[in-house]
Amino acid sequence: ELLIAYVDGSYKDNRFGVGCYCLTNDGTYKLKASGVDTFNMHNVAGELYGAVIATQFAIKNGFKEILIVYDYHGIEKWVTGEWKSKNKFTQSYVKKMSELSKKITIKFKKVKAHSGNTYNYIADKLAKESLEVITV
């Protein structure tokens, strides 16, 4: 079974936000998270964590395939090797996605940011909402 995951990231006050809107045959799931931007990657950190979180969610719930729909090229380009990962953060992202790809088929699809795509908009909104929660 296929999980379609729209992922997006956000950034505010040295924290990144993650938003994932997942569609399945059985319904939809909203995932969000946030963290401290220790690698100074801004919203890119949220974008990449979104892909990881969505993939982990898919594996945990028994999906055989995930389609990660994104509006930031790095989500796909670093994994495919089209872009060289030059820092510890992107290198750890590539390593993690490589490990996850042994458990599930990962596919990617690019959508234009802020172009009226409903699901991409929801993922963006979730990423922004994740930054409203203060973690201690």
Side-chain angles (χ1 to χ4, degrees):
E1 193 180 350
L2 170 69
L3 177 107
I4 300 170
Y6 285 78
V7 302
D8 212 343
S10 191
Y11 176 81
K12 182 180 177 184
D13 300 330
N14 199 38
R15 292 176 59 241
F16 64 85
V18 177
C20 306
Y21 188 67
C22 303
L23 296 95
T24 73
N25 289 340
D26 300 324
T28 60
Y29 301 88
K30 294 177 180 179
L31 311 173
K32 55 186 174 178
S34 65
V36 177
D37 185 21
T38 54
F39 287 93
N40 203 28
M41 296 293 291
H42 298 260
N43 63 309
V44 172
E47 305 271 357
L48 302 186
Y49 272 121
V52 171
I53 288 168
T55 305
Q56 290 172 328
F57 176 83
I59 292 167
K60 182 180 174 190
N61 289 282
F63 290 90
K64 303 290 181 227
E65 186 176 358
I66 183 169
L67 174 64
I68 299 171
V69 185
Y70 63 87
D71 62 16
Y72 174 69
H73 278 295
I75 287 174
E76 179 177 5
K77 305 277 187 194
W78 277 309
V79 172
T80 63
E82 216 174 311
W83 288 4
K84 179 144 178 58
S85 48
K86 297 177 182 171
N87 64 45
K88 287 196 185 313
F89 186 79
T90 57
Q91 289 164 358
S92 68
Y93 169 68
V94 170
K95 183 176 183 225
K96 186 65 176 175
M97 291 300 280
S98 175
E99 290 167 5
L100 294 172
S101 72
K102 294 175 179 135
K103 300 175 184 172
I104 191 171
T105 301
I106 303 172
K107 294 183 177 175
F108 299 96
K109 180 181 176 187
K110 168 85 168 84
V111 294
K112 190 171 192 254
H114 311 290
S115 61
N117 181 300
T118 301
Y119 302 134
N120 183 252
Y121 171 78
I122 294 169
D124 181 62
K125 189 169 180 266
L126 290 168
K128 285 178 174 57
E129 285 174 7
S130 74
L131 292 171
E132 294 171 12
V133 179
I134 302 299
T135 51
V136 290

